[in-house]
Amino acid sequence: GNPSYLAIYLVFSLFFIVWLLQEERSWSLKVPWLLIGGFELFMIYQTRTRASFLAFAIGLVIATCLLIWHVHRHHQGKLSKNLLNLCYLITLAGILLITLGTVFTVLNIKGDAFTAMQPRFWTWGTALAGFIEKPILGWGVENFPYVFDKYYNANHFGIESWFDRPHNIFLGYLIDGGIALLLAYAAMFFFFYKQLWQLPRTWFWPPLFSVPIIYLVNGLTLFEVLPIYLNLFFFFAFFVNYSNNFHTPETPKATQKNISLRGWVAIYTVTLAVAAS
């Protein structure tokens, strides 16, 4: 019942659609994915979620910059250098204008951003106080209400007086399991980027690089929910399979198309679209 999570939920689906589009060779199969992708972009806009829009904008700009770098490095000989650089500048300027314009539009729709964020600022202070009291192993899962009551900020009174979570995934892990749990959580992303850095810089490298950033930026003002967890771990599972298709000393396999992976991703993506609708 909270549209705040629908946007980041659909970002993962859009990522899988991008991959499916480059896997499919027939336009009769590409068109349905394009239609689903357009529908999901419309749904993301309809959520009016500031955090997700900002995260999506940051991820899109990063992916665009990396993609421009990739094209400049591998395809420069096909166009004159000046024309290629002009295309890059126009593309990057367009992306920046679209994303920043969208973010400002959402901010205006939702009202004053700072005022809307104040209850979260107070709650983050409460969470930090709880972390300082129990920094190593935290307070236990789902126990933030105890912290909120013990270190209650009176500014909440009359505005929003109850928070069951810190509304920040990093503070959430510090409260649930302290530094130990936050390090374990961060380790997933460390090893993801460690493996990603070893892969060839194909055109698909920028989207892979950007999706976890979108997820983490979005989590600065929201908390974890099960549907987002499912998408995150399906993304990690996809990446493990995808990276194993490259010939490396750690995974000596021939590069080949994985039909079963494409089928599972297609089924999962359609399921996401149906659930979102």
Side-chain angles (χ1 to χ4, degrees), residues 6 23 26 53 58 60 87-88 95 117 133 143 160 174 180 182 185 187-188 196-197 215 218 225 239 245 249 258 277:
L6 180 58
E23 286 291 300
S26 171
F53 269 78
I58 291 173
L60 188 59
C87 292
Y88 295 157
I95 292 294
M117 283 293 295
E133 181 178 344
N143 282 337
E160 193 166 3
L174 286 175
L182 181 62
Y185 173 75
M188 297 190 302
L196 178 63
W197 200 258
Y215 164 81
N218 184 81
V225 293
F239 174 73
N245 285 333
N258 192 321
S277 64

Side-chain angles (χ1 to χ4, degrees), residues 25-268:
R25 295 293 176 262
S26 171
W27 272 100
S28 62
L29 296 175
K30 288 178 182 288
V31 170
W33 294 125
L34 288 171
L35 292 175
I36 293 175
F39 165 74
E40 291 182 352
L41 282 171
F42 174 73
M43 292 292 289
I44 289 175
Y45 178 76
Q46 288 295 100
T47 64
R48 304 292 201 274
T49 306
R50 291 187 299 264
S52 297
F53 269 78
L54 182 60
F56 190 67
I58 291 173
L60 188 59
V61 170
I62 291 174
T64 302
C65 292
L66 291 173
L67 188 59
I68 287 174
W69 174 79
H70 168 75
V71 173
H72 182 80
R73 183 178 181 183
H74 296 284
H75 302 283
Q76 187 171 349
K78 297 181 180 179
L79 293 171
S80 69
K81 185 176 181 179
N82 291 334
L83 180 59
L84 198 63
N85 290 334
L86 179 61
C87 292
Y88 295 157
L89 289 174
I90 292 174
T91 302
L92 184 57
I95 292 294
L96 286 170
L97 288 173
I98 292 171
T99 52
L100 291 176
T102 304
V103 169
F104 291 142
T105 299
V106 174
L107 289 176
N108 290 332
I109 290 173
K110 298 283 281 190
D112 183 72
F114 181 78
T115 301
M117 283 293 295
Q118 278 186 327
R120 279 181 168 80
F121 294 150
W122 302 330
T123 304
W124 294 346
T126 298
L128 286 173
F131 162 67
I132 291 172
E133 181 178 344
K134 296 184 178 182
I136 307 301
L137 297 178
W139 292 71
V141 178
E142 302 292 339
N143 282 337
F144 180 71
Y146 295 104
V147 179
F148 186 77
D149 291 343
K150 184 172 184 178
Y151 296 100
Y152 179 73
N153 188 321
N155 288 317
H156 283 288
F157 184 76
I159 300 176
E160 193 166 3
S161 298
W162 185 75
F163 271 77
D164 58 339
R165 289 176 176 82
H167 284 72
N168 178 294
I169 56 176
F170 305 102
L171 290 174
Y173 286 115
L174 286 175
I175 292 296
D176 289 348
I179 294 175
L181 183 58
L182 181 62
L183 289 177
Y185 173 75
M188 297 190 302
F189 297 93
F190 171 80
F191 287 108
F192 167 82
Y193 281 109
K194 182 176 181 293
Q195 178 66 20
L196 178 63
W197 200 258
Q198 298 172 0
L199 297 184
R201 302 299 195 271
T202 66
W203 77 269
F204 194 59
W205 201 86
L208 280 169
F209 185 91
S210 299
V211 167
I213 293 176
I214 297 174
Y215 164 81
L216 292 171
V217 172
N218 184 81
L220 289 174
T221 57
L222 296 171
F223 53 84
E224 304 279 20
V225 293
L226 181 60
I228 311 304
Y229 263 139
L230 295 177
N231 273 342
L232 176 65
F233 286 103
F234 191 88
F235 171 80
F236 282 146
F238 166 87
F239 174 73
V240 170
N241 192 299
Y242 175 83
S243 62
N244 283 343
N245 285 333
F246 292 93
H247 178 76
T248 64
E250 292 78 16
T251 56
K253 295 183 179 181
T255 302
Q256 59 183 2
K257 298 294 182 183
N258 192 321
I259 298 176
S260 62
L261 176 63
R262 184 168 58 187
W264 279 112
V265 172
I267 293 172
Y268 191 78

Side-chain angles (χ1 to χ4, degrees), residues 4-23:
S4 298
Y5 299 95
L6 180 58
I8 189 63
Y9 176 84
L10 291 176
V11 165
F12 286 97
S13 182
L14 287 173
F15 166 81
F16 295 133
I17 287 175
V18 169
W19 182 77
L20 287 167
L21 284 171
Q22 64 92 25
E23 286 291 300

